Amino acid sequence: MSGASQQPFSAAQLPQLESMCAVMYTSSSAVERSQADEALKVFSRSPEYLVHCKTILDNSTSPYAQVFAASSMLKLVTEHSIPLPARVDARAYFLRYLAERGPGLEQYVITSLLQLLCRISKIGWFEDESMRLVADEGKTFLEMHTKEKDAARASALYFIGLKMLTMAVSEMNTPIPGRTLTQHRKTAVSFRERSLFSIFETSLRSLQYLKVNQHQQAMEQAMSLALACLSFDFVGTCVDDSTEDVGTIQIPSSWRSRIEDADTLEVFFEYYRNSQTPLSSTSLECLVKMASVRRSLFSSEVERISFLGRLIRGTKEVLSLQQGLQHHENYHEFCRLLGRLKTNYQLSELVGLEVYPDWTALVADFTIESLKSWQWASSSVYYLLGLWSRLVSSVPYLKGDKPSLLETQVPRIVQAYIVSRMAAPEALEEEENLEDQLDSLPYLCRFKYEETAAFLVQWLDPCISKFQAGEDIDRVEIQLTWLVHIVAAVIRGRVSSSGSEPYEQMDGDLIARIFTIMRASEANALHAQRFSLRSKQRLELALISFMQSLRRAYIGEQVVSSSRVYTRLKEHLGIDDHVAVMDALLGKICFNLKVYGSCDDIIDATLGLFQDLAAGYMSGKTLLKLDAVSMLLRCHDSRYFRFLDCKPGRARTTYYLTLGKLLFMEETPGAFEAFVDPFDQVLKGIAAARTAAVSIEALKGSVPQDMVVGLFRDLRGLVAATTNRRTYGMVFEWLYPVHMPTIITCLDTWADAPEVANSILKFFAEFVHNKTQRLTFDSSSANGILLFREVSKALCGYGNRTLDQRALTLSDPYEQRYKGIWICLLVLSRAISGNYVNFGVFSLYNDPALVNALDVCLRMVFTISAHDILAYRKVSKSYYAFIDALCHNFVPEIARRDDSILVSIMTTLDSGLKSFDVATSSQCASSIDNLAGYYFKHKADGIKPNETGVQLSNHLAKHQDLLPRLLRTLLDAVLFEECSNQWSLSRPLLTLILCTEPIYPDIRQQLIAAQPAESRELVSRSLDRLMDNVNRTLDAKNRDKFTQNVTLVRHEIKSKAPSSSVGAYAR
């Protein structure tokens, strides 16, 4: 196929193509697959290859060639604009092809062809009536099987019909790449109103029919179709399909009679009872969806309770017979179903059912058995614990005289959970499941707290004794880890439950025992030998979790030092108030930082605890009273804490951010100088090495790279801790001017080492950031200007090195180039938006610092393709912030450059307007408003024409579609889309209309013509009001009037237009 791009494809080349397709899909050699893929890519590059793909389908019997042709056509119709007649003909062709040859095709070929058929239907949904007949065409295939004499062919056609309907529902429910969310929702809503309910009815009829005329494949497909209908995003709220949690299903009111019909639930329960997986598990998934139906759907409370009764009786029967629960898929879905019953229904509704007592007992027994089989049910237990937790949390609101029966069942479940965890070391590594389970424990454990606390003490005391004695240490560490996690969850529950004295006393007893474990783990020589073992590290992580829970419950900003918990702690350990508790916590923090330097998990969790303790005003002040903190502020470097030597990671930044907050909390003479002395020595050492080195390579050889990375991570944390003029000034005066040459030398030396360069650039990004107005210099001070000059030196040095290497092929472009560039953009954006530099000084005194910095950053950023700018989130965020700052303050710098720069900026702004990220689209709108506003004011025929305006006019004259394209995008977004930042997006509209005044009538007419026929008059009438009482000026009053008009026009279109019928360019 090497010549496929130069000459038409013919049937004679088919054997060669079939061979290459087989290699591409089946070869075990990655090289062979890649070569075949490269050779065949030509078929998906241009619409002219549609006819060649059709030739392949017509003549090939190879399933690999067939699926290749279908996937190539799918890419073509998705990424290219195909004329409507060609799409209508193609659609008719696929229907004929499936009817004639479908029964003989492989399943994956059928799936590819049906996806293609449904994609064409979705893209052309509003363009032609035939595109909206997909539901009827699926039903036609279902009817075909009755006319077929060949039983196998009849069954295949029936299956294809069900598969077509399933694919149609799935396609309409899934956004298409390259199209906006609004375009997707308009089609989805129209499909929902026109076809979805009839498809759901078809799935139920098929399930009833197949109970008699059994065909396993068709039954599975019919059940999948029902599930797809129930999983449809009815109101456009399901943004994350990866989660297993099911929200309330917003089924339309037109489905009410079908949902209330007892046969609907029964058919799913019946299929579960009479089938095997995967059919049985899919039927349970359907029941999970049915249990999640919104309350308001039912015609009366009687109907709703009747529906709930059928669900409860169905699950009770499954529990009684234990039918199908030996299969893991069934088991998991059944647990989800039980969890939904309390999520969507009130405890009072459950208690009122006649079968509730039996059902509760069965569910409790089922939960206890599940807990005993944790290896098999670890991912499912979460739903069961969540069910019981929600039941317990509803008890205070239960009215009436019917008992909840939870007093008997919940303690059994809690005790079963505790016992089951004692021999479950592997479950400790399943971090997500562990957190989910522990989130359910507070309500459960504190429900009958006396029993739970006593049971925990029964387990804790013998385990602590063995731990102190070093007996059976491997098993005891596992048991203590679980017990500490459970106690942490119990203490955490104190925040949201009763804080009465008896409960606080029980908390105190449990807390005292955990403190005993903490002391034993540090003091015993045997335990010191186990610091590197994972079981010991898991115990330490559990202890940190406990300390966090203790902090939230008893060491918050509203500290009650007279709490009964301290009475118990004093009796057990001599700890008599929250200050002593904090002293103990700080001692543990320091211990962990000294001995667990190589364990990232423990270091990160410990520093998180330290940061949280120092974050509160009162808790921070309390920490400052401790001698340990005073010692820590004096002795904080790697000589005392080994984790600083293990790896120069972000933990260092967190560590010094926290220490910095404590350091700056009070003014103590000489404290700052003593604190930064270790950094001072390192910077002086690098300066001395720079003086002695004869070359850059010599300097690299004499200064360890990790030391430089660690230094600037530390300094970044320290600078981040400055929150006002006083504290920032202390750091600034220490670093500038003495150490700034050394810092820039480091960046110049290691510019080709991304890890080092990025740490220095991030330091600069923090150093120039004027958060909380901390960069406020005296009116007679030149520090702001001097700071920017240093920033410019740093950016130009790094930028020029990066640009010199832009021709190099990189294995990881983001880490090796893009990351450094976006940090540079962040540095410059913060510097020019900080409002502490008068940039007019630079041009006045012919200082090139500003121009050089802008120039190098613009050159760097446009070495990144527009696709990659949008593909990498952090690159995109920094890029649009930079462009916003540029358009707000430095339009002349854009105008004086080549017109390709302006085109690139405007094109990426247009793409950014369509972003789902509100901050990005708002920044783009602001950039457009500033840029277009400057052009309108200063163009040749503007209010104040100048040279920059003329330059912009010349650029835009060469690319006349730039501003109109932005206007079309914004009109579509503001008038027809559901956007939370409507005000921000509407601000540039008036500016763009005035800039494109001669062609605005054409744009308006295009907008109207893009609407369905029944909506055009309404849209035309509404757009006429857009400029009512609006002048040709951009003063604030005039802009506000225009914004009001936009809101009124948008409301009129939304309220009066036929459902799902409007939207510019949505077709």
Side-chain angles (χ1 to χ4, degrees):
M1 302 306 298
S2 58
S5 59
Q6 287 80 29
Q7 60 188 19
F9 174 77
S10 65
Q13 296 172 288
L14 191 59
Q16 182 186 0
L17 181 136
E18 290 176 339
S19 175
M20 295 182 74
C21 289
V23 169
M24 185 172 67
Y25 288 115
T26 64
S27 176
S28 59
S29 168
V31 175
E32 290 180 357
R33 292 196 307 271
S34 177
Q35 290 174 346
D37 178 59
E38 190 63 35
L40 294 170
K41 271 184 180 177
V42 65
F43 284 89
S44 58
R45 286 178 180 159
S46 171
E48 67 187 42
Y49 280 90
L50 281 170
V51 64
H52 302 321
C53 293
K54 180 176 175 293
T55 301
I56 296 169
L57 288 175
D58 285 336
N59 296 283
S60 179
T61 58
S62 165
Y64 302 119
Q66 291 165 344
V67 79
F68 163 74
S71 59
S72 297
M73 295 176 86
L74 179 69
K75 189 171 183 180
L76 289 171
V77 300
T78 302
E79 298 179 359
H80 298 273
S81 179
I82 311 296
L84 177 61
R87 281 181 279 138
V88 172
D89 290 345
R91 194 173 175 283
Y93 166 78
F94 295 129
L95 287 169
R96 290 194 304 272
Y97 188 89
L98 286 165
E100 294 169 6
R101 298 179 57 176
L105 297 176
E106 295 288 344
Q107 291 299 318
Y108 54 85
V109 179
I110 293 173
T111 299
S112 293
L113 289 169
L114 289 174
Q115 184 182 11
L116 174 56
L117 176 69
C118 295
R119 178 68 54 85
I120 293 173
S121 299
K122 182 175 183 178
I123 290 174
W125 187 260
F126 293 107
E127 295 180 83
D128 191 87
E129 177 63 25
S130 65
M131 301 289 186
R132 299 191 284 274
L133 299 177
V134 64
D136 297 330
E137 289 156 351
K139 295 172 188 175
T140 300
F141 274 80
L142 298 181
E143 295 165 0
M144 282 183 189
H145 87 285
T146 59
K147 304 172 185 177
E148 283 289 340
K149 296 179 181 179
D150 185 332
R153 182 175 172 81
S155 297
L157 287 170
Y158 197 86
F159 171 80
I160 291 173
L162 291 171
K163 183 75 173 177
M164 182 186 299
L165 294 174
T166 307
M167 293 294 292
V169 175
S170 176
E171 182 67 30
M172 297 298 174
N173 201 36
T174 307
I176 299 175
R179 291 166 65 85
T180 67
L181 188 60
T182 298
Q183 293 170 331
H184 159 68
R185 284 305 305 163
K186 289 181 188 300
T187 308
V189 170
S190 177
F191 175 79
R192 180 196 71 195
E193 297 299 317
R194 179 187 177 102
S195 306
L196 188 60
F197 180 58
S198 67
I199 293 176
F200 182 58
E201 295 251 86
T202 299
S203 70
L204 295 178
R205 284 196 297 270
S206 296
L207 288 170
Q208 296 286 4
Y209 168 77
L210 292 166
K211 284 195 297 185
V212 180
N213 304 276
Q214 293 199 356
H215 183 275
Q216 184 66 24
Q217 193 179 40
M219 287 193 290
E220 291 176 6
Q221 193 59 56
M223 191 64 73
S224 296
L225 175 58
L227 178 60
C229 292
L230 292 170
S231 303
F232 196 82
D233 188 0
F234 293 98
V235 292
T237 57
C238 301
V239 295
D240 184 8
D241 293 331
S242 64
T243 179
E244 287 193 327
D245 292 333
V246 181
T248 302
I249 306 298
Q250 302 292 333
I251 286 181
S253 299
S254 57
W255 294 37
R256 178 179 292 123
S257 59
R258 174 54 64 188
I259 300 299
E260 290 180 347
D261 188 344
D263 291 341
T264 304
L265 273 181
E266 179 56 31
V267 73
F268 297 126
F269 275 118
E270 188 175 350
Y271 263 88
Y272 171 73
R273 290 191 295 265
N274 299 327
S275 60
Q276 299 295 318
T277 55
L279 181 54
S280 56
S281 61
T282 308
S283 65
L284 283 175
E285 285 189 73
C286 291
L287 286 167
V288 172
K289 300 291 184 183
M290 293 288 286
S292 306
V293 170
R294 61 185 172 94
R295 294 177 64 95
S296 56
L297 175 69
F298 297 93
S299 56
S300 66
E301 197 64 23
V302 173
E303 285 290 347
R304 175 177 161 76
I305 297 301
S306 176
F307 182 83
L308 173 60
R310 290 193 289 273
L311 279 170
I312 293 295
R313 286 191 295 273
T315 54
K316 175 179 173 291
E317 182 180 350
V318 173
L319 288 168
S320 299
L321 301 176
Q322 292 289 300
Q323 192 170 22
L325 295 179
Q326 69 274 17
H327 299 293
H328 187 268
E329 296 87 350
N330 291 346
Y331 179 89
H332 182 74
E333 292 302 330
F334 188 72
C335 290
R336 292 182 68 205
L337 176 57
L338 291 176
R340 288 307 302 173
L341 292 177
K342 176 58 187 77
T343 304
N344 216 32
Y345 294 90
Q346 302 298 327
L347 177 59
S348 57
E349 295 170 335
L350 292 168
V351 169
L353 297 174
E354 185 179 344
V355 298
Y356 174 76
D358 294 338
W359 179 81
T360 308
L362 286 169
V363 175
D365 292 340
F366 177 70
T367 303
I368 291 169
E369 288 301 316
S370 299
L371 291 170
K372 293 177 181 178
S373 306
W374 62 265
Q375 301 97 325
W376 192 67
S378 59
S379 60
S380 308
V381 165
Y382 157 72
Y383 300 104
L384 298 174
L385 293 176
L387 166 66
W388 289 105
S389 178
R390 285 187 287 270
L391 287 171
V392 164
S393 63
S394 300
V395 169
Y397 311 103
L398 182 63
K399 297 178 181 180
D401 55 357
K402 291 191 176 180
S404 68
L405 305 178
L406 298 178
E407 295 82 356
T408 305
Q409 307 296 355
V410 170
R412 292 175 57 219
I413 292 167
V414 171
Q415 292 176 17
Y417 178 81
I418 294 171
V419 172
S420 69
R421 300 302 96 177
M422 294 302 100
E426 292 87 350
L428 289 168
E429 294 295 344
E430 299 174 1
E431 188 172 338
E432 289 187 9
N433 287 334
L434 175 63
E435 291 179 3
D436 289 338
Q437 293 173 26
L438 294 176
D439 285 343
S440 302
L441 287 185
Y443 280 115
L444 292 176
C445 292
R446 298 185 83 91
F447 180 59
K448 283 291 183 180
Y449 195 22
E450 300 86 347
E451 296 180 37
T452 300
F455 192 77
L456 283 169
V457 168
Q458 289 176 19
W459 274 94
L460 278 166
D461 286 346
C463 286
I464 291 172
S465 298
K466 291 181 180 179
F467 186 68
Q468 291 172 323
E471 299 175 12
D472 196 12
I473 195 67
D474 291 326
R475 187 168 64 87
V476 169
E477 278 182 347
I478 294 169
Q479 293 177 341
L480 284 178
T481 301
W482 273 114
L483 290 168
V484 172
H485 272 306
I486 293 168
V487 171
V490 173
I491 300 303
R492 190 162 60 244
R494 187 252 184 188
V495 177
S496 56
S497 63
S498 171
S500 62
E501 287 191 7
Y503 278 44
E504 290 185 353
Q505 289 181 21
M506 288 182 277
D507 283 350
D509 289 334
L510 294 175
I511 292 169
R513 285 167 171 81
I514 307 305
F515 271 115
T516 302
I517 297 171
M518 288 168 54
R519 291 179 175 180
S521 69
E522 296 175 16
N524 196 311
L526 171 65
H527 300 307
Q529 301 170 14
R530 299 177 61 83
F531 289 147
S532 62
L533 300 181
R534 187 57 186 164
S535 61
K536 173 67 173 173
Q537 293 172 1
R538 283 197 299 249
L539 176 58
E540 290 298 334
L541 289 169
L543 289 170
I544 297 169
S545 175
F546 160 77
M547 290 187 282
Q548 281 284 22
S549 297
L550 181 62
R551 178 190 64 81
R552 294 189 187 103
Y554 289 102
I555 317 178
E557 290 299 284
Q558 305 296 327
V559 175
V560 183
S561 56
S562 60
S563 170
R564 294 290 294 175
V565 74
Y566 296 112
T567 304
R568 306 299 288 174
L569 287 176
K570 185 174 183 179
E571 292 174 5
H572 288 290
L573 303 170
I575 297 176
D576 53 5
D577 60 14
H578 67 280
V579 177
V581 169
M582 291 187 74
D583 192 37
L585 297 187
L586 188 63
K588 182 62 178 172
I589 288 169
C590 293
F591 179 82
N592 285 357
L593 295 179
K594 289 176 181 177
V595 304
Y596 287 108
S598 59
C599 183
D600 291 343
D601 290 348
I602 292 179
I603 293 298
D604 290 342
T606 301
L607 289 174
L609 172 65
F610 187 27
Q611 188 174 20
D612 291 338
L613 283 171
Y617 178 77
M618 291 303 300
S619 56
K621 289 287 188 181
T622 303
L623 280 176
L624 283 177
K625 298 176 183 177
L626 303 178
D627 293 339
V629 169
S630 300
M631 180 62 69
L632 191 59
L633 291 177
R634 292 195 301 271
C635 309
H636 53 79
D637 58 12
S638 58
R639 292 172 295 173
Y640 306 96
F641 297 100
R642 56 173 293 193
F643 86 94
L644 293 169
D645 276 337
C646 291
K647 188 178 180 183
R650 66 183 61 185
R652 301 180 67 128
T653 304
T654 305
Y655 174 63
Y656 278 103
L657 169 62
T658 307
L659 288 180
K661 285 181 178 179
L662 294 172
L663 174 68
F664 296 132
M665 198 168 283
E666 292 183 352
E667 293 188 55
T668 304
F672 176 76
E673 290 75 12
F675 184 84
V676 299
D677 184 65
F679 304 134
D680 212 55
Q681 299 305 317
V682 173
L683 286 166
K684 288 178 180 177
I686 296 174
R690 178 192 61 179
T691 303
V694 295
S695 65
I696 286 179
E697 294 305 319
L699 179 58
K700 285 183 177 180
S702 61
V703 178
Q705 179 173 302
D706 281 356
M707 184 184 77
V708 179
V709 175
L711 170 66
F712 286 99
R713 285 189 178 276
D714 299 345
L715 292 178
R716 178 184 164 201
L718 180 61
V719 175
T722 63
T723 57
N724 55 46
R725 178 180 177 180
R726 175 185 68 85
T727 55
Y728 182 85
M730 294 168 69
V731 177
F732 181 84
E733 290 170 6
W734 166 55
L735 290 176
Y736 184 86
V738 176
H739 295 304
M740 194 57 69
T742 304
I743 294 172
I744 293 177
T745 296
C746 288
L747 183 58
D748 291 341
T749 303
W750 283 278
D752 57 349
E755 185 181 12
V756 185
N758 291 345
S759 68
I760 301 173
L761 289 171
K762 284 188 175 182
F763 159 75
F764 269 112
E766 185 61 45
F767 196 51
V768 302
H769 190 18
N770 192 16
K771 60 184 181 183
T772 65
Q773 297 300 304
R774 61 184 182 174
L775 271 77
T776 304
F777 301 109
D778 292 335
S779 58
S780 59
S781 171
N783 282 344
I785 296 169
L786 296 172
L787 173 59
F788 187 82
R789 291 179 66 184
E790 299 300 328
V791 168
S792 178
K793 290 179 191 175
L795 292 177
C796 291
Y798 174 81
N800 288 325
R801 287 283 295 275
T802 300
L803 290 167
D804 289 342
Q805 298 174 354
R806 63 180 178 270
L808 297 177
T809 302
L810 305 175
S811 58
D812 185 350
Y814 177 78
E815 286 294 334
Q816 294 171 277
R817 182 174 297 158
Y818 296 173
K819 187 172 182 178
I821 293 175
W822 76 252
I823 301 173
C824 287
L825 297 182
L826 180 64
V827 172
L828 189 54
S829 299
R830 287 178 171 179
I832 63 181
S833 303
N835 203 29
Y836 52 85
V837 183
N838 185 340
F839 289 102
V841 169
F842 294 104
S843 59
L844 182 63
Y845 292 99
N846 295 318
D847 188 331
L850 172 63
V851 173
N852 290 346
L854 292 172
D855 183 66
V856 77
C857 284
L858 281 170
R859 287 164 58 204
M860 278 197 295
V861 75
F862 288 118
T863 63
I864 308 175
S865 68
H867 174 272
D868 284 352
I869 287 176
L870 295 170
Y872 294 98
R873 185 180 60 84
K874 290 185 177 180
V875 175
S876 175
K877 185 177 180 180
S878 289
Y879 170 77
Y880 285 116
F882 171 65
I883 295 299
D884 189 24
L886 201 60
C887 292
H888 188 268
N889 298 297
F890 302 106
V891 173
E893 289 300 320
I894 299 174
R896 73 178 183 83
R897 285 170 167 76
D898 186 79
D899 59 289
S900 63
I901 296 293
L902 180 65
V903 172
S904 298
I905 290 174
M906 302 286 258
T907 302
T908 51
L909 288 175
D910 184 50
S911 300
L913 288 173
K914 300 169 185 174
S915 170
F916 294 156
D917 182 65
V918 172
T920 296
S921 58
S922 296
Q923 279 182 328
C924 290
S926 173
S927 302
I928 293 166
D929 192 29
N930 287 316
L931 186 58
Y934 189 99
Y935 168 67
F936 176 73
K937 185 177 181 180
H938 297 291
K939 62 181 179 175
D941 57 347
I943 302 169
K944 294 181 179 180
N946 62 14
E947 183 182 356
T948 299
V950 173
Q951 290 172 331
L952 285 174
S953 297
N954 293 336
H955 292 327
L956 293 171
K958 297 177 186 177
H959 306 278
Q960 296 183 7
D961 190 48
L962 287 178
L963 292 179
R965 188 196 318 164
L966 293 171
L967 178 56
R968 286 193 292 266
T969 298
L970 281 167
L971 282 170
D972 191 20
V974 172
L975 297 182
F976 304 114
E977 294 187 12
E978 294 295 337
C979 47
S980 58
N981 57 339
Q982 176 201 334
W983 188 88
S984 298
L985 294 182
S986 67
R987 296 304 281 177
L989 280 178
L990 178 59
T991 313
L992 289 171
I993 289 172
L994 295 178
C995 288
T996 60
E997 203 166 13
I999 60 172
Y1000 173 66
D1002 294 336
I1003 297 172
R1004 177 183 175 281
Q1005 199 55 43
Q1006 292 171 16
L1007 191 69
I1008 296 168
Q1011 311 307 318
E1014 66 270 17
S1015 301
R1016 289 173 189 166
E1017 184 179 351
L1018 168 65
V1019 174
S1020 176
R1021 225 174 29 246
S1022 300
L1023 288 175
D1024 288 340
R1025 299 190 182 93
L1026 201 58
M1027 299 296 289
D1028 283 354
N1029 301 317
V1030 175
N1031 303 319
R1032 291 188 70 260
T1033 65
L1034 292 177
D1035 61 79
K1037 185 176 180 180
N1038 196 50
R1039 289 167 69 96
D1040 289 342
K1041 177 59 182 174
F1042 178 80
T1043 303
Q1044 292 173 10
N1045 289 351
V1046 169
T1047 303
L1048 293 173
V1049 168
R1050 173 185 167 86
H1051 177 72
E1052 182 176 18
I1053 292 174
K1054 288 288 181 184
S1055 60
K1056 296 182 180 179
S1059 176
S1060 71
S1061 66
V1062 294
Y1065 319 111
R1067 270 66 69 194

